[in-house]
Amino acid sequence: MHPLPPPTSSRRRETQVNSKSSHLGDFINLSTRYPYEHPPTIMQAVSDLQSDLNSLLGHRSQPGPLSYGTAGFRGKAETLHEAVLRCGMLAACRSHSLAGRAVGVMVTASHNPAPDNGLKLVEPDGSMLHKDWEVAATEFVNAFDNPPAALAKMVKLEDVPRQGKAVVLIGWDTRKSSAVLVDLACQGVEVMGGTVIKLGLVTTPQLHFSLRARDRKEASALEDYYTALRRAFGKLVREKRAVLPPLAVDCANGVGAVAIDAIRSALPAIAVVNRANDGPLNKNCGADFVQKQRKMPEIYSKAVPKCKMWASLDGDADRLVMFEKRDGGIALADGDRFAALVTQFISKHMKQGGVGGLSLAVAQTAYSNGAATEFLSKLQGVQVVTAKTGVKHLEKAVRKFDIGVYWEPNGHGTVLFSDKAVGELTSAKAKLAGEHDGSQQKRSLSTLLAVSALANQAVGDGVADLLLILAILSREDMTTSEWLRLYEERRSSNVVVRVTDKSVIVTEDCDRLVKEPAALRDAIAKASDEEGCRAFVRPSGTEDVVRVYAEAPVKREGKANEMALEIARAVYRLCGGVGERL
């Protein structure tokens, strides 16, 4: 693989102003444009910056209002210049407000096509941006008349000098558009007096890991990330390492291949395909494609491995799905199956380790397959909770428990151990120091601690999840086929309907019920009024589309498709459908 060169430092560029150009290749170094005798306040810096943007761009490249969602801001790369620069400024302000604790900026559009890009901000502990600052981000990016007023809601502008203690870590994926966007984000940080630390070409989970480790005064370099994964994996698989089957990993032509290469020494037989520059990012490959299409990814690499067991990452490696290659197609292991396997394994070792006093929960969304919910509900000591769709909602739901498991069906998820849980597991193991290492209780406590060290404690991590799943399968002497037989998933169908205004639909009960309009609620109830059937609709968080989901028993072949189509037609009819009628 030939990784992209790092973005050129803006400090080495000539100062140029072209009022008719909207090409940001000519963007000046904003942090040195203003020769202030004294550090300006944020109010002054923002005002000057807005004036400079106007003269440089000549017209607004941003086609319309942007909304900060779970994935941050996303769109066509060329439309995000102003938003990214302002987010750099906002990241510095967030760090200022936290007395200089480092904040993260990740430039990526994850599983989106290559022409897209995006940016999301990350809290110092590696978690998603605080909800109040999500609102601030949306207001600030869309505030064209008085940008400082939007920031003033979050920080006292007069109290935050340009020269301060703000620190922002920035990472990016393999998209060609990332170079310009990273430079703009850096300039936004610097014009607010912040310090930029470039992590470089990284997976999104690596940025989260680095922030969390730095905040906890732990080793936070990328090599520390890889060392932690290899060490925890070794402890978890122990003598079972040799039984791991050959595996092929599809990296979606993205950054994940770099991370897989770095941990390959932990795996005896692994083939990597679809590296960066092998083909178009995420096109007909990667976790999102495989999970939605339920078929083999296109292989852009020259050699196609002859493996039965496969895994697919997405473009920034925060999602993972696995599958078994079979005649005529694949048998998919999605996020629901990850949650089932991992939760069963943890529940077993909590019992054997004698730590039943710790709480264990698994969080699902409305999209989780009903068969997975039934399986998890039968596990000893496991609480199953439902959260709104979106990683931030799942994370919040499981943070209430000592050990929390969450995966979205799309393959984004992890296992979170509270500090209390790690402390009690460590203490319980220490009390058994005199016992033989072969003691079942001691082995189970060591196993749980190894899981806590392997699973990313900040965010879903496709690379860490791959190692976790492989370790559990080897420890349980379980084949992929046996894993897939833990439960028989119900038939499901998804349909997307474009509408003029998604806000006309109001949902409740974690998106499982429609509150308004009443006519749509009644149409859904009528379409799914059979035993074992369910359906719901959910407006997209980023665009004017409505997603329809329908689920039916295995024996009712075709019923899920019928329900989804009937409900999609109701959405089109009742909610201002756009385009060709369904």
Side-chain angles (χ1 to χ4, degrees):
M1 188 191 82
H2 302 288
L4 294 174
T8 304
S9 172
S10 58
R11 296 188 182 279
R12 295 195 294 271
R13 281 207 289 268
E14 294 291 326
T15 299
Q16 304 175 54
V17 177
N18 180 356
S19 62
K20 296 182 179 180
S21 173
S22 63
H23 178 51
L24 269 289
D26 297 329
F27 212 98
I28 64 169
N29 181 356
L30 296 174
S31 59
T32 60
R33 176 169 173 77
Y34 311 111
Y36 300 114
E37 293 183 6
H38 302 287
T41 62
I42 284 181
M43 183 82 74
Q44 182 180 355
V46 173
S47 178
D48 290 344
L49 180 62
Q50 177 61 26
S51 175
D52 207 47
L53 276 171
N54 288 339
S55 65
L56 275 167
L57 296 175
H59 66 275
R60 303 230 176 263
S61 61
Q62 189 171 306
L66 294 173
S67 177
Y68 193 100
T70 299
F73 293 118
R74 286 189 188 171
K76 297 300 179 184
E78 64 273 14
T79 70
L80 295 175
H81 296 146
E82 294 170 78
V84 168
L85 190 142
R86 291 194 187 195
C87 281
M89 300 171 69
L90 191 75
C93 289
R94 179 58 174 153
S95 179
H96 275 302
S97 75
L98 297 171
R101 291 169 67 195
V103 169
V105 169
M106 185 67 197
V107 177
T108 181
S110 190
H111 56 278
N112 282 30
D116 291 354
N117 214 323
L119 177 146
K120 72 173 185 176
L121 304 179
V122 184
E123 291 288 305
D125 63 357
S127 63
M128 304 295 177
L129 183 64
H130 189 281
K131 62 180 181 179
D132 291 343
W133 282 78
E134 286 187 8
V135 176
T138 298
E139 290 187 8
F140 183 45
V141 163
N142 294 306
F144 296 131
D145 296 329
N146 188 8
L151 281 182
K153 295 180 180 180
M154 306 307 298
V155 292
K156 293 182 179 180
L157 302 184
E158 64 275 12
D159 294 340
V160 183
R162 183 174 175 224
Q163 300 299 325
K165 298 180 180 179
V167 177
V168 179
L169 274 61
I170 298 184
W172 58 90
D173 68 12
T174 58
R175 296 166 196 270
K176 293 180 180 179
S177 59
S178 291
V180 168
L181 297 185
V182 168
D183 272 352
L184 291 173
C186 290
Q187 291 184 50
V189 173
E190 290 168 355
V191 80
M192 308 308 285
T195 297
V196 173
I197 298 176
K198 292 183 179 179
L199 293 185
L201 193 68
V202 293
T203 69
T204 294
Q206 287 172 336
L207 175 77
H208 286 258
F209 169 91
S210 293
L211 279 164
R212 181 177 184 272
R214 178 188 176 96
D215 199 52
R216 295 167 69 92
K217 305 297 189 292
E218 299 170 352
S220 60
L222 289 184
E223 186 51 43
D224 298 314
Y225 167 86
Y226 294 126
T227 298
L229 291 190
R230 290 190 294 260
R231 182 179 294 135
F233 179 75
K235 290 181 178 180
L236 194 52
V237 294
R238 300 200 312 264
E239 70 280 2
K240 296 284 189 176
R241 185 188 303 267
V243 303
L244 291 169
L247 172 73
V249 182
D250 154 36
C251 295
N253 301 318
V255 67
V258 178
I260 293 295
D261 283 341
I263 53 93
R264 288 184 74 169
S265 61
L267 302 171
I270 184 171
V272 180
V273 298
N274 292 344
R275 297 173 177 274
N277 300 325
D278 278 354
L281 183 67
N282 294 317
K283 186 173 181 180
N284 298 330
C285 61
D288 190 61
F289 172 83
V290 173
Q291 190 257 338
K292 290 180 177 177
Q293 301 298 322
R294 297 198 171 224
K295 62 182 181 181
M296 278 288 297
E298 184 172 342
I299 307 302
Y300 295 88
S301 305
K302 293 181 180 179
V304 180
K306 295 182 179 179
C307 295
K308 183 178 181 181
M309 188 177 184
W310 284 69
S312 285
L313 298 166
D314 69 340
D316 67 335
D318 66 348
R319 293 186 184 186
L320 172 80
V321 297
M322 298 178 70
F323 56 93
E324 191 175 83
K325 189 176 180 180
R326 295 180 179 177
D327 291 339
I330 66 171
L332 180 69
D334 61 4
D336 284 341
R337 293 197 181 275
F338 290 174
L341 179 69
V342 173
T343 305
Q344 177 180 254
F345 184 75
I346 292 175
S347 173
K348 167 186 168 181
H349 285 284
M350 286 181 67
K351 179 181 179 181
Q352 293 178 350
V355 286
L358 293 175
S359 58
L360 170 62
V362 56
Q364 297 185 309
T365 71
Y367 287 102
S368 298
N369 195 274
T373 305
E374 289 182 3
F375 174 85
L376 289 163
S377 299
K378 295 176 182 178
L379 296 178
Q380 181 178 354
V382 176
Q383 299 183 59
V384 180
V385 297
T386 304
K388 293 183 66 175
T389 300
V391 175
K392 64 182 179 182
H393 301 299
L394 288 165
E395 179 190 344
K396 181 179 178 181
V398 299
R399 288 287 185 189
K400 300 174 183 178
F401 301 89
D402 297 318
I403 303 176
V405 180
Y406 73 84
W407 257 278
E408 290 186 298
N410 62 29
H412 190 131
T414 190
V415 188
L416 299 177
F417 285 70
S418 67
D419 288 339
K420 171 193 170 185
V422 174
E424 290 196 16
L425 292 170
T426 303
S427 177
K429 183 182 176 183
K431 292 178 182 178
L432 301 175
E435 294 198 19
H436 190 273
D437 287 343
S439 158
Q440 181 59 63
Q441 183 180 8
K442 191 173 182 179
R443 288 203 309 270
S444 287
L445 292 170
S446 296
T447 293
L448 292 170
L449 286 169
V451 171
S452 73
L454 181 53
N456 193 312
Q457 294 302 294
V459 72
D461 184 337
V463 177
D465 291 346
L466 175 62
L467 292 177
L468 178 60
I469 295 300
L470 292 176
I472 293 175
L473 291 177
S474 66
R475 283 286 299 275
E476 298 295 282
D477 291 320
M478 184 182 292
T479 65
T480 313
S481 297
E482 289 170 334
W483 173 24
L484 293 168
R485 288 198 295 270
L486 287 180
Y487 61 83
E488 186 176 17
E489 67 177 18
R490 295 174 181 170
R491 301 288 186 260
S492 63
S493 180
N494 293 271
V495 178
V496 176
V497 184
R498 189 164 295 278
V499 296
T500 53
D501 181 9
K502 65 182 180 181
S503 66
V504 300
I505 298 178
V506 179
T507 64
E508 58 186 355
D509 191 23
C510 298
D511 298 325
R512 292 183 292 188
L513 296 175
V514 167
K515 184 177 181 179
E516 297 176 2
L520 178 59
R521 180 183 65 232
D522 295 341
I524 295 172
K526 180 180 178 181
S528 58
D529 188 22
E530 286 190 26
E531 184 177 356
C533 295
R534 70 183 183 98
F536 66 90
V537 301
R538 175 179 171 268
S540 167
T542 57
E543 53 186 330
D544 280 322
V545 301
V546 177
R547 307 185 192 283
V548 179
Y549 178 88
E551 187 178 284
V554 175
K555 295 180 180 180
R556 293 301 312 275
E557 192 72 39
K559 178 61 178 178
N561 291 335
E562 293 175 9
M563 286 193 297
L565 183 58
E566 182 178 344
I567 294 169
R569 287 170 174 164
V571 170
Y572 188 99
R573 184 178 68 254
L574 299 170
C575 305
V578 174
E580 186 177 351
R581 183 177 293 274
L582 297 169

